[in-house]
Amino acid sequence: MTTKMREEINEIPAAAARLLDTSASIIAHCAKGLREKDPSVVVTIARGSSDHAAFFLKYAIELQLGLPVASLGPSLASIYERPMKLGNAAAFAVSQSGASPDIVAMAKGARDGGATTISLVNTLPSPLADAATHAIDIMAGPEIAVAATKSFVNSIVAGLAIIAAWTEDKDLEGAVASLPDHLDKALALDWSPLLQPLSTADSLYMLGRGPALAIAAEAALKCKETCELHAEAYSSAEVLHGPVSIVGRDFPVVAFAARDKAEASIVQTVSKLSAGNAACYITSGLGEGGHRLPFVATGHPITDALALIVPYYGFIESLSRARGFNPDKPVALKKVTETQ
């Protein structure tokens, strides 16, 4: 039986292409507004997988523009009712439904505080879209499975398209335009060597640095959501500051490395961990430690990191079924979570 989650994973390349083919004008308008604002800081507003998409965009903005990016706690607006001074800021709010009251309240608070606010949503109209200066429909299409996949990817694709237009960076613009083809190639990659060690695992680490750390965070969440398997995401540097103490011989470690300046440091960490652990896996051909997982090299370090999530999604859907779960309907979760 083909699950809804698997069907939606397979739709990722087409969803990315649909977004890029139909949203050029609104993205250009949004980018123009950001250039005119010329913010000195950027804030993000999101939860769950959407927060991991925002985390990815944090690194992309910091790397491309040199602007600091901070995540705002939605409870500042919804519970603490604390106004924020954001007169020289831009804000990115990310949500599949655009309906969670705390996300909407924080986006309104950011706009009221003076920020140019961009909402990345899969539902228009929606309260979050109404709260934003610019509302971008990420065009992922209906997503039935509880675990977000294509909406996560398209939130990032939309954000990267905005950043590329904002900075007028031709290299990033070209890399974003090529993403549908690269994501399609990523669908065909086989990560099944992870099935055996993770099918009986109780816990594992996901590692990364830079944009790949956001991918590691999303990967860890999907383990918990679809497999009831505890996973934690760490920077490959931070894991050596204490968390390494519980990595035993058969404690799985999955390292997400892109073709960027952080790749060598991730490889170095995995080489250290693999010396006493046979269950280390990494998306890199460098170094000596760890089992190699296949990847698509997109030609740009930022889109390279995004492409890593696609073969992982295919794998985690298989792992969920192998562990006896229905990945479409995790027992404790529902599709739209409306937090206060």
Side-chain angles (χ1 to χ4, degrees):
M1 182 187 75
T2 302
T3 64
K4 285 292 183 183
M5 184 178 180
R6 181 73 249 187
E7 289 177 358
E8 289 165 2
I9 294 166
N10 291 342
E11 292 170 11
I12 287 173
R18 180 169 58 245
L19 168 65
L20 296 173
D21 289 344
T22 61
S23 302
S25 60
I26 184 63
I27 286 170
H29 180 67
C30 178
K32 182 175 181 289
L34 288 167
R35 282 195 299 274
E36 291 172 352
K37 178 75 169 184
D38 191 23
S40 59
V41 66
V42 178
V43 297
T44 65
I45 305 160
R47 290 202 188 279
S49 283
S50 294
D51 195 36
H52 298 153
F55 190 24
F56 190 104
L57 295 176
K58 161 191 165 67
Y59 276 108
I61 291 167
E62 289 173 343
L63 288 167
Q64 291 295 114
L65 289 115
L67 291 176
V69 182
S71 172
L72 292 182
S75 61
L76 288 169
S78 63
I79 293 178
Y80 296 105
E81 299 179 339
R82 181 63 179 172
M84 302 299 291
K85 300 174 183 178
L86 295 169
N88 201 28
F92 282 77
V94 188
S95 171
Q96 298 168 54
S97 68
S100 190
D102 56 349
I103 302 298
V104 174
M106 190 69 254
K108 287 180 178 176
R111 189 173 182 181
D112 291 346
T116 294
T117 307
I118 299 96
S119 66
L120 306 178
V121 293
N122 200 33
T123 307
L124 286 178
S126 64
L128 185 61
D130 294 342
T133 313
H134 304 280
I136 309 296
D137 185 346
I138 65 168
M139 303 292 289
E143 192 172 57
I144 306 303
V146 170
T149 53
K150 61 179 180 172
S151 64
F152 170 82
V153 173
N154 262 31
S155 294
I156 293 174
V157 174
L160 291 180
I162 292 168
I163 294 165
W166 178 7
T167 59
E168 300 178 311
D169 184 317
K170 298 303 180 185
D171 289 341
L172 184 56
E173 286 180 350
V176 172
S178 298
L179 265 172
D181 287 340
H182 287 129
L183 297 176
D184 189 54
K185 291 175 182 176
L187 274 177
L189 299 180
D190 180 12
W191 282 26
S192 62
L194 285 173
L195 277 172
Q196 191 280 324
L198 269 62
S199 62
T200 57
D202 296 317
S203 187
L204 71 150
Y205 286 162
M206 305 287 192
L207 306 183
R209 290 192 86 169
L213 178 56
I215 298 301
E218 169 66 3
L221 176 62
K222 287 298 179 286
C223 259
K224 298 166 189 171
E225 283 183 328
T226 67
C227 302
E228 296 187 13
L229 172 58
H230 176 253
E232 289 188 78
Y234 283 106
S235 158
S236 59
E238 188 65 30
V239 75
L240 300 177
H241 291 259
V244 67
S245 63
I246 67 170
V247 176
R249 170 126 191 102
D250 295 310
F251 187 99
V253 174
V254 180
F256 294 87
R259 275 18 71 200
D260 67 4
K261 291 183 178 180
E263 182 177 12
S265 69
I266 299 172
V267 168
Q268 185 178 31
T269 295
V270 171
S271 293
K272 291 177 181 177
L273 296 176
S274 65
N277 180 7
C280 289
Y281 297 81
I282 185 170
T283 61
S284 175
L286 303 180
E288 299 299 325
H291 303 285
R292 304 296 191 255
L293 292 171
F295 56 86
V296 170
T298 68
H300 194 285
I302 294 176
T303 56
D304 210 65
L306 177 57
L308 296 174
I309 198 62
V310 174
Y312 175 82
Y313 278 158
F315 155 73
I316 205 66
E317 186 271 344
S318 297
L319 180 65
S320 177
R321 291 186 287 105
R323 288 174 65 99
F325 298 106
N326 178 355
D328 289 342
K329 297 179 179 180
V331 174
L333 303 176
K334 58 181 180 178
K335 184 61 182 173
V336 178
T337 302
E338 296 188 3
T339 47
Q340 299 295 327

